[in-house]
Coordinates of all heavy atoms in Angstrom, one line a residue:
M1 N -5.9 -8.6 -5.7 CA -5.1 -8.2 -4.7 C -5.9 -7.3 -3.7 O -6.6 -6.4 -4.1 CB -3.9 -7.3 -5.3 CG -2.9 -6.9 -4.3 SD -1.6 -5.9 -5.1 CE -0.8 -7.2 -6.1
R2 N -5.8 -7.6 -2.4 CA -6.5 -6.8 -1.4 C -5.5 -5.8 -0.8 O -4.5 -6.2 -0.3 CB -7.1 -7.8 -0.4 CG -7.9 -7.1 0.7 CD -8.5 -8.2 1.6 NE -9.3 -7.5 2.6 CZ -9.4 -8.0 3.8 NH1 -8.8 -9.2 4.2 NH2 -10.1 -7.3 4.7
V3 N -5.9 -4.6 -0.8 CA -5.1 -3.5 -0.2 C -5.8 -2.9 1.0 O -6.9 -2.5 0.8 CB -4.7 -2.4 -1.3 CG1 -3.8 -1.4 -0.7 CG2 -4.0 -3.1 -2.5
L4 N -5.1 -2.9 2.1 CA -5.7 -2.3 3.3 C -4.9 -1.0 3.7 O -3.7 -0.9 3.5 CB -5.5 -3.3 4.5 CG -6.0 -4.7 4.2 CD1 -5.6 -5.6 5.4 CD2 -7.5 -4.7 4.0
Y5 N -5.6 0.0 4.2 CA -5.1 1.2 4.5 C -5.4 1.5 6.0 O -6.5 1.3 6.5 CB -5.6 2.4 3.7 CG -5.5 2.1 2.2 CD1 -6.6 1.8 1.4 CD2 -4.3 2.3 1.6 CE1 -6.5 1.6 0.1 CE2 -4.1 2.1 0.2 CZ -5.2 1.7 -0.5 OH -5.1 1.5 -1.9
F6 N -4.4 2.0 6.7 CA -4.6 2.3 8.2 C -4.2 3.7 8.5 O -3.3 4.3 7.9 CB -3.7 1.3 9.0 CG -4.2 -0.1 8.9 CD1 -3.6 -1.0 7.9 CD2 -5.2 -0.6 9.7 CE1 -4.1 -2.3 7.8 CE2 -5.7 -1.9 9.5 CZ -5.1 -2.7 8.6
A7 N -4.8 4.2 9.6 CA -4.5 5.6 10.2 C -4.6 6.7 9.1 O -5.6 6.7 8.4 CB -3.1 5.5 10.8
W8 N -3.6 7.6 9.1 CA -3.8 8.7 8.1 C -3.7 8.3 6.7 O -4.2 9.0 5.8 CB -2.8 9.8 8.5 CG -1.4 9.5 8.4 CD1 -0.6 9.2 9.5 CD2 -0.5 9.4 7.3 NE1 0.7 8.9 9.0 CE2 0.8 9.0 7.7 CE3 -0.8 9.5 5.9 CZ2 1.8 8.8 6.8 CZ3 0.3 9.3 5.0 CH2 1.6 9.0 5.5
V9 N -3.2 7.1 6.4 CA -3.1 6.7 5.0 C -4.6 6.4 4.6 O -5.0 6.8 3.5 CB -2.3 5.4 4.9 CG1 -2.3 4.9 3.4 CG2 -0.9 5.6 5.4
R10 N -5.4 5.8 5.5 CA -6.8 5.5 5.2 C -7.6 6.8 5.0 O -8.4 7.0 4.1 CB -7.4 4.7 6.3 CG -8.9 4.5 6.1 CD -9.6 3.6 7.2 NE -9.2 4.1 8.5 CZ -9.0 3.4 9.6 NH1 -9.1 2.1 9.5 NH2 -8.7 3.9 10.8
Q11 N -7.3 7.8 5.9 CA -8.0 9.1 5.8 C -7.7 9.8 4.4 O -8.6 10.3 3.8 CB -7.5 10.0 6.9 CG -8.1 9.5 8.3 CD -7.5 10.3 9.4 OE1 -6.4 10.9 9.3 NE2 -8.2 10.2 10.6
R12 N -6.5 9.7 4.0 CA -6.2 10.4 2.7 C -6.7 9.6 1.5 O -7.2 10.3 0.6 CB -4.6 10.6 2.6 CG -4.1 11.6 3.6 CD -2.7 11.8 3.4 NE -2.2 12.7 4.5 CZ -0.9 12.9 4.7 NH1 0.0 12.4 4.0 NH2 -0.6 13.7 5.7
V13 N -6.6 8.3 1.6 CA -7.1 7.5 0.4 C -8.7 7.6 0.4 O -9.3 7.6 -0.7 CB -6.6 6.1 0.5 CG1 -7.4 5.2 -0.5 CG2 -5.1 6.0 0.3
G14 N -9.3 7.7 1.6 CA -10.7 7.8 1.7 C -11.5 6.4 1.8 O -12.7 6.3 1.6
M15 N -10.7 5.4 2.1 CA -11.3 4.1 2.3 C -10.4 3.2 3.1 O -9.2 3.4 3.2 CB -11.6 3.4 0.9 CG -10.4 3.0 0.1 SD -10.8 2.4 -1.6 CE -11.0 3.9 -2.4
A16 N -10.9 2.2 3.7 CA -10.2 1.3 4.6 C -9.5 0.2 3.8 O -8.4 -0.4 4.1 CB -11.0 0.7 5.7
E17 N -10.1 -0.3 2.7 CA -9.6 -1.3 1.9 C -10.2 -1.3 0.5 O -11.2 -0.7 0.3 CB -9.8 -2.7 2.5 CG -11.3 -3.1 2.6 CD -11.4 -4.5 3.3 OE1 -11.2 -4.5 4.5 OE2 -11.6 -5.5 2.6
E18 N -9.5 -2.0 -0.5 CA -10.0 -2.1 -1.8 C -9.4 -3.3 -2.5 O -8.3 -3.8 -2.1 CB -9.8 -0.8 -2.6 CG -8.3 -0.5 -2.8 CD -8.1 0.8 -3.6 OE1 -8.9 1.0 -4.6 OE2 -7.2 1.5 -3.3
E19 N -10.1 -3.9 -3.4 CA -9.6 -4.9 -4.3 C -9.1 -4.3 -5.5 O -9.8 -3.5 -6.2 CB -10.7 -5.9 -4.6 CG -11.2 -6.7 -3.4 CD -10.2 -7.8 -2.9 OE1 -9.4 -8.3 -3.8 OE2 -10.2 -8.1 -1.7
V20 N -7.8 -4.6 -5.9 CA -7.2 -4.0 -7.1 C -6.6 -5.0 -8.0 O -6.3 -6.2 -7.5 CB -6.2 -2.9 -6.8 CG1 -6.8 -1.8 -6.0 CG2 -5.0 -3.5 -6.0
A21 N -6.5 -4.7 -9.3 CA -5.9 -5.6 -10.2 C -4.8 -4.8 -11.0 O -5.1 -4.4 -12.1 CB -6.9 -6.3 -11.1
P22 N -3.7 -4.6 -10.4 CA -2.6 -3.9 -11.1 C -2.1 -4.6 -12.3 O -2.2 -5.8 -12.4 CB -1.5 -3.7 -10.0 CG -1.8 -4.7 -9.0 CD -3.2 -5.1 -9.1
P23 N -1.5 -3.9 -13.2 CA -0.9 -4.5 -14.4 C 0.3 -5.4 -14.0 O 0.9 -5.3 -12.9 CB -0.4 -3.4 -15.2 CG -0.3 -2.2 -14.3 CD -1.3 -2.4 -13.2
E24 N 0.6 -6.3 -14.9 CA 1.7 -7.3 -14.6 C 3.0 -6.6 -14.4 O 4.0 -7.2 -13.8 CB 1.9 -8.2 -15.8 CG 0.7 -9.2 -15.9 CD 0.9 -10.2 -17.0 OE1 2.0 -10.4 -17.4 OE2 -0.1 -10.8 -17.4
T25 N 3.2 -5.3 -14.8 CA 4.4 -4.6 -14.6 C 4.6 -4.2 -13.1 O 5.8 -3.9 -12.7 CB 4.5 -3.3 -15.4 OG1 3.3 -2.5 -15.1 CG2 4.5 -3.6 -16.9
V26 N 3.6 -4.3 -12.3 CA 3.7 -4.0 -10.9 C 4.1 -5.3 -10.2 O 3.4 -6.3 -10.1 CB 2.3 -3.5 -10.3 CG1 2.4 -3.5 -8.8 CG2 2.0 -2.2 -10.9
R27 N 5.4 -5.4 -9.8 CA 6.0 -6.6 -9.3 C 6.4 -6.5 -7.8 O 6.7 -7.6 -7.2 CB 7.2 -7.0 -10.1 CG 6.8 -7.3 -11.6 CD 8.0 -7.8 -12.3 NE 7.6 -8.2 -13.7 CZ 8.0 -7.5 -14.8 NH1 8.9 -6.6 -14.7 NH2 7.6 -7.9 -15.9
D28 N 6.5 -5.3 -7.3 CA 6.9 -5.2 -5.9 C 6.2 -4.0 -5.2 O 5.3 -3.4 -5.8 CB 8.5 -5.0 -5.8 CG 8.9 -3.7 -6.6 OD1 8.1 -2.8 -6.9 OD2 10.1 -3.7 -7.0
V29 N 6.4 -3.9 -3.9 CA 5.7 -2.9 -3.1 C 5.9 -1.5 -3.7 O 5.0 -0.7 -3.8 CB 6.2 -2.9 -1.6 CG1 5.6 -1.8 -0.8 CG2 5.8 -4.3 -1.0
A30 N 7.1 -1.2 -4.1 CA 7.4 0.2 -4.7 C 6.6 0.4 -5.9 O 6.0 1.5 -6.1 CB 8.9 0.4 -4.9
G31 N 6.5 -0.6 -6.8 CA 5.7 -0.5 -8.0 C 4.2 -0.4 -7.7 O 3.6 0.4 -8.4
L32 N 3.8 -1.0 -6.7 CA 2.4 -0.9 -6.3 C 2.1 0.5 -5.8 O 1.1 1.0 -6.1 CB 2.0 -2.0 -5.2 CG 0.6 -2.0 -4.8 CD1 -0.4 -2.2 -5.9 CD2 0.4 -3.0 -3.6
I33 N 3.0 1.0 -5.0 CA 2.8 2.4 -4.5 C 2.7 3.3 -5.6 O 1.8 4.2 -5.7 CB 3.9 2.8 -3.5 CG1 3.7 2.0 -2.1 CG2 4.0 4.3 -3.2 CD1 4.8 2.2 -1.2
A34 N 3.6 3.2 -6.6 CA 3.6 4.1 -7.8 C 2.3 4.0 -8.5 O 1.7 5.0 -8.9 CB 4.8 3.8 -8.6
W35 N 1.9 2.8 -8.7 CA 0.6 2.5 -9.5 C -0.6 3.1 -8.7 O -1.5 3.7 -9.3 CB 0.4 1.0 -9.8 CG -0.8 0.7 -10.5 CD1 -1.0 0.9 -11.9 CD2 -2.0 0.1 -10.0 NE1 -2.2 0.5 -12.2 CE2 -2.9 0.0 -11.1 CE3 -2.4 -0.2 -8.8 CZ2 -4.2 -0.5 -11.0 CZ3 -3.7 -0.8 -8.6 CH2 -4.5 -0.9 -9.7
L36 N -0.7 2.8 -7.4 CA -1.8 3.3 -6.6 C -1.8 4.8 -6.5 O -2.9 5.4 -6.6 CB -1.7 2.8 -5.1 CG -2.0 1.3 -4.9 CD1 -1.6 0.9 -3.5 CD2 -3.5 1.0 -5.2
S37 N -0.6 5.5 -6.5 CA -0.6 6.9 -6.5 C -1.3 7.6 -7.7 O -1.8 8.7 -7.5 CB 0.9 7.4 -6.5 OG 1.6 7.0 -5.4
A38 N -1.4 6.9 -8.8 CA -2.1 7.4 -10.0 C -3.6 7.2 -10.0 O -4.3 7.6 -10.9 CB -1.4 6.9 -11.2
R39 N -4.1 6.5 -9.0 CA -5.5 6.1 -9.0 C -6.5 7.2 -8.6 O -7.6 7.3 -9.1 CB -5.8 4.9 -8.1 CG -5.2 3.6 -8.6 CD -5.5 2.4 -7.7 NE -6.8 2.1 -7.3 CZ -7.7 1.4 -8.0 NH1 -7.3 0.9 -9.2 NH2 -8.9 1.2 -7.6
S40 N -6.1 8.2 -7.8 CA -6.9 9.3 -7.3 C -6.1 10.3 -6.6 O -5.0 10.0 -6.2 CB -8.0 8.8 -6.4 OG -7.5 8.5 -5.1
P41 N -6.6 11.5 -6.5 CA -5.9 12.5 -5.7 C -5.6 12.1 -4.3 O -4.6 12.4 -3.7 CB -6.8 13.7 -5.8 CG -7.6 13.6 -7.0 CD -7.8 12.1 -7.1
G42 N -6.6 11.3 -3.7 CA -6.4 10.8 -2.3 C -5.2 9.9 -2.2 O -4.4 9.9 -1.3
H43 N -5.1 9.0 -3.2 CA -4.0 8.0 -3.2 C -2.7 8.8 -3.4 O -1.7 8.5 -2.8 CB -4.2 7.0 -4.4 CG -5.2 6.0 -4.2 ND1 -6.5 6.2 -4.5 CD2 -5.1 4.7 -3.7 CE1 -7.2 5.1 -4.2 NE2 -6.4 4.2 -3.7
A44 N -2.7 9.8 -4.3 CA -1.5 10.6 -4.6 C -1.1 11.3 -3.3 O 0.1 11.3 -3.0 CB -1.8 11.6 -5.7
S45 N -2.0 11.8 -2.6 CA -1.7 12.5 -1.3 C -1.1 11.5 -0.3 O -0.1 11.8 0.4 CB -2.9 13.1 -0.7 OG -2.7 13.6 0.5
A46 N -1.7 10.3 -0.2 CA -1.3 9.3 0.8 C 0.1 8.8 0.5 O 0.9 8.6 1.4 CB -2.2 8.1 0.8
F47 N 0.5 8.7 -0.8 CA 1.7 8.1 -1.2 C 2.7 9.1 -1.7 O 3.7 8.8 -2.3 CB 1.5 7.0 -2.2 CG 0.8 5.8 -1.7 CD1 -0.5 5.5 -2.1 CD2 1.3 5.0 -0.7 CE1 -1.2 4.5 -1.6 CE2 0.6 3.9 -0.2 CZ -0.7 3.7 -0.7
A48 N 2.5 10.4 -1.4 CA 3.3 11.5 -1.9 C 4.8 11.3 -1.5 O 5.7 11.7 -2.2 CB 2.8 12.9 -1.5
N49 N 5.0 10.8 -0.2 CA 6.3 10.6 0.3 C 6.4 9.1 0.7 O 6.1 8.8 1.9 CB 6.6 11.5 1.4 CG 8.1 11.4 1.9 OD1 8.8 10.5 1.4 ND2 8.5 12.2 2.9
P50 N 6.7 8.2 -0.2 CA 6.8 6.8 0.2 C 7.6 6.4 1.4 O 7.4 5.4 2.0 CB 7.3 6.1 -1.1 CG 7.0 7.1 -2.2 CD 7.1 8.5 -1.6
R51 N 8.6 7.3 1.7 CA 9.4 7.0 2.9 C 8.6 7.1 4.2 O 9.1 6.6 5.2 CB 10.6 8.0 2.9 CG 11.5 7.9 1.7 CD 12.5 9.0 1.7 NE 13.8 8.4 1.7 CZ 14.9 9.1 1.9 NH1 14.8 10.4 2.2 NH2 16.1 8.5 1.8
T52 N 7.5 7.7 4.2 CA 6.7 7.8 5.4 C 5.6 6.7 5.5 O 4.8 6.7 6.4 CB 6.0 9.2 5.5 OG1 5.0 9.3 4.4 CG2 6.9 10.3 5.4
I53 N 5.7 5.7 4.6 CA 4.7 4.6 4.5 C 5.4 3.3 4.9 O 6.5 3.1 4.4 CB 4.1 4.5 3.1 CG1 3.4 5.8 2.7 CG2 3.2 3.3 3.0 CD1 2.1 6.0 3.4
R54 N 4.8 2.5 5.6 CA 5.3 1.2 5.9 C 4.3 0.2 5.2 O 3.1 0.5 5.0 CB 5.4 0.9 7.4 CG 6.4 1.7 8.1 CD 7.8 1.5 7.7 NE 8.7 2.4 8.3 CZ 9.2 3.6 7.8 NH1 8.8 3.9 6.6 NH2 10.0 4.3 8.4
A55 N 4.8 -1.0 4.9 CA 4.0 -2.0 4.2 C 4.1 -3.3 4.9 O 5.2 -3.7 5.4 CB 4.3 -2.0 2.7
A56 N 3.1 -4.1 4.7 CA 3.1 -5.5 5.1 C 2.5 -6.3 3.9 O 1.5 -5.9 3.4 CB 2.4 -5.8 6.4
V57 N 3.1 -7.4 3.6 CA 2.6 -8.3 2.5 C 2.2 -9.6 3.3 O 3.1 -10.2 3.9 CB 3.6 -8.6 1.4 CG1 3.1 -9.5 0.4 CG2 4.0 -7.2 0.8
N58 N 1.0 -9.9 3.2 CA 0.4 -11.1 3.8 C 0.8 -11.2 5.3 O 1.3 -12.2 5.8 CB 0.9 -12.4 3.1 CG 0.4 -12.4 1.7 OD1 -0.7 -12.0 1.4 ND2 1.2 -12.8 0.8
Q59 N 0.7 -10.0 5.9 CA 0.9 -9.7 7.4 C 2.3 -9.9 7.9 O 2.6 -10.0 9.1 CB 0.0 -10.7 8.2 CG -1.5 -10.4 7.9 CD -2.5 -11.3 8.7 OE1 -2.1 -12.0 9.6 NE2 -3.7 -11.2 8.4
D60 N 3.3 -9.8 7.0 CA 4.7 -9.7 7.3 C 5.2 -8.4 6.8 O 5.0 -8.0 5.6 CB 5.5 -10.8 6.6 CG 5.2 -12.2 7.3 OD1 5.0 -12.2 8.5 OD2 5.2 -13.2 6.5
F61 N 6.0 -7.7 7.6 CA 6.6 -6.4 7.2 C 7.4 -6.6 5.9 O 8.0 -7.7 5.8 CB 7.5 -5.9 8.3 CG 6.8 -5.3 9.5 CD1 6.8 -5.9 10.7 CD2 6.1 -4.1 9.3 CE1 6.1 -5.3 11.8 CE2 5.4 -3.5 10.4 CZ 5.4 -4.1 11.6
A62 N 7.3 -5.6 5.0 CA 7.9 -5.8 3.7 C 8.5 -4.4 3.3 O 7.9 -3.4 3.5 CB 6.9 -6.2 2.7
G63 N 9.7 -4.5 2.7 CA 10.4 -3.3 2.1 C 9.9 -3.0 0.7 O 9.1 -3.8 0.2
P64 N 10.4 -1.9 0.1 CA 9.9 -1.5 -1.2 C 10.2 -2.6 -2.3 O 9.4 -2.6 -3.3 CB 10.7 -0.3 -1.4 CG 11.3 0.1 -0.2 CD 11.3 -1.0 0.7
D65 N 11.2 -3.4 -2.1 CA 11.6 -4.3 -3.2 C 10.9 -5.7 -3.0 O 11.2 -6.6 -3.7 CB 13.1 -4.5 -3.3 CG 13.7 -4.9 -2.0 OD1 13.0 -4.9 -0.9 OD2 14.9 -5.3 -2.0
H66 N 10.1 -5.8 -1.9 CA 9.4 -7.1 -1.7 C 8.4 -7.4 -2.8 O 7.6 -6.5 -3.2 CB 8.7 -7.0 -0.3 CG 8.2 -8.4 0.1 ND1 7.1 -9.0 -0.4 CD2 8.7 -9.2 1.1 CE1 6.9 -10.2 0.2 NE2 7.9 -10.3 1.1
P67 N 8.4 -8.6 -3.4 CA 7.5 -8.9 -4.4 C 6.0 -9.0 -4.0 O 5.7 -9.3 -2.8 CB 7.9 -10.3 -4.9 CG 8.9 -10.8 -4.0 CD 9.3 -9.7 -3.0
V68 N 5.1 -8.6 -4.9 CA 3.7 -8.7 -4.7 C 3.1 -9.5 -5.8 O 3.6 -9.5 -6.9 CB 3.0 -7.3 -4.6 CG1 3.5 -6.6 -3.4 CG2 3.2 -6.5 -5.8
A69 N 2.0 -10.2 -5.5 CA 1.3 -11.1 -6.5 C -0.2 -10.9 -6.3 O -0.7 -10.3 -5.3 CB 1.7 -12.5 -6.2
A70 N -0.9 -11.4 -7.3 CA -2.4 -11.1 -7.4 C -3.2 -11.5 -6.2 O -4.1 -10.8 -5.9 CB -2.9 -11.9 -8.7
N71 N -2.8 -12.6 -5.5 CA -3.6 -13.0 -4.4 C -3.1 -12.5 -3.0 O -3.6 -13.0 -2.0 CB -3.7 -14.6 -4.4 CG -4.5 -15.1 -5.5 OD1 -5.4 -14.5 -6.0 ND2 -4.0 -16.2 -6.1
D72 N -2.2 -11.6 -3.0 CA -1.6 -11.1 -1.8 C -2.5 -10.1 -1.1 O -3.4 -9.5 -1.8 CB -0.3 -10.4 -2.1 CG 0.9 -11.3 -2.3 OD1 0.7 -12.6 -2.0 OD2 1.9 -10.9 -2.9
E73 N -2.3 -9.9 0.2 CA -2.9 -8.9 1.0 C -1.8 -7.9 1.3 O -0.8 -8.3 1.9 CB -3.6 -9.4 2.2 CG -4.2 -8.3 3.1 CD -4.6 -8.9 4.5 OE1 -3.8 -9.0 5.4 OE2 -5.8 -9.3 4.6
I74 N -2.0 -6.7 0.9 CA -1.0 -5.6 1.2 C -1.6 -4.6 2.1 O -2.7 -4.1 1.8 CB -0.5 -4.9 -0.1 CG1 -0.4 -5.9 -1.3 CG2 0.7 -4.1 0.1 CD1 0.7 -6.9 -1.1
A75 N -0.9 -4.3 3.2 CA -1.3 -3.3 4.1 C -0.4 -2.1 4.1 O 0.9 -2.3 4.1 CB -1.4 -3.9 5.5
F76 N -0.9 -0.9 4.1 CA -0.1 0.3 4.2 C -0.4 1.1 5.4 O -1.6 1.3 5.7 CB -0.3 1.2 3.0 CG 0.2 0.6 1.7 CD1 -0.6 0.1 0.7 CD2 1.6 0.5 1.4 CE1 -0.2 -0.5 -0.4 CE2 2.1 -0.1 0.3 CZ 1.2 -0.6 -0.7
F77 N 0.6 1.6 6.2 CA 0.3 2.3 7.4 C 1.5 3.2 7.7 O 2.6 3.0 7.1 CB 0.1 1.3 8.5 CG 1.1 0.1 8.5 CD1 2.3 0.2 9.3 CD2 0.9 -1.0 7.8 CE1 3.3 -0.8 9.3 CE2 1.9 -2.0 7.8 CZ 3.0 -1.9 8.5
P78 N 1.3 4.2 8.6 CA 2.4 5.0 9.0 C 3.4 4.3 9.9 O 3.1 3.2 10.4 CB 1.8 6.2 9.7 CG 0.4 5.7 10.1 CD 0.1 4.6 9.2
P79 N 4.6 4.8 10.0 CA 5.6 4.1 10.9 C 5.0 4.0 12.3 O 4.2 4.9 12.8 CB 6.7 5.1 11.0 CG 6.6 5.9 9.7 CD 5.2 6.0 9.4
V80 N 5.3 2.9 13.0 CA 4.7 2.6 14.3 C 5.9 2.9 15.3 O 7.0 2.6 15.2 CB 4.3 1.2 14.4 CG1 3.8 0.8 15.8 CG2 3.3 0.8 13.4
T81 N 5.5 3.6 16.4 CA 6.4 3.9 17.5 C 5.9 3.2 18.7 O 4.7 3.1 18.9 CB 6.5 5.4 17.7 OG1 5.3 6.0 18.1 CG2 7.1 6.1 16.5
G82 N 6.8 2.8 19.6 CA 6.5 2.2 20.8 C 6.6 3.2 22.0 O 7.0 4.3 21.8
G83 N 6.1 2.8 23.1 CA 6.2 3.7 24.2 C 5.9 3.0 25.5 O 5.5 1.9 25.6

C-alpha cells in the first residue's frame, strides 16, 4: 500500500510518502489512520485529530469507512478550501 502525505500532514509525519503493509485487520481508512498513528511520534501528531484529515483512495475522495486494500494508493491531506 502506498501512502502519500500532503501539506502539514507531510511535515508532521516527516516524509512525503511511504510503502506500508498493514495487518489484515486494517480494512478501512479509519483503521489505517489508527494503525499509522502508532508508527511514530510524527504519525501520532499528524493523526491526533482524525477529523482534521481528509483522505483519497486511488485518487477519489474517501470517508473513514471507505475500504482499503494492499494495492491501493491512499493520500492524506488537510481540508481544502476554495477562494
Side-chain angles (χ1 to χ4, degrees):
M1 181 179 296
R2 183 174 178 213
V3 181
L4 309 174
Y5 305 106
F6 294 94
W8 59 258
V9 181
R10 175 178 53 216
Q11 292 173 337
R12 292 182 186 173
V13 170
M15 65 186 83
E17 66 181 76
E18 62 182 322
E19 293 287 330
V20 299
E24 290 183 19
T25 56
V26 173
R27 296 186 177 115
D28 57 22
V29 170
L32 180 60
I33 287 172
W35 181 77
L36 287 169
S37 293
R39 288 179 57 85
S40 76
H43 287 85
S45 174
F47 295 111
N49 185 357
R51 298 171 122 194
T52 63
I53 301 285
R54 298 296 177 261
V57 177
N58 299 321
Q59 301 183 4
D60 288 324
F61 285 109
D65 59 345
H66 192 284
V68 295
N71 292 325
D72 286 344
E73 176 187 88
I74 317 298
F76 292 107
F77 46 92
V80 179
T81 61

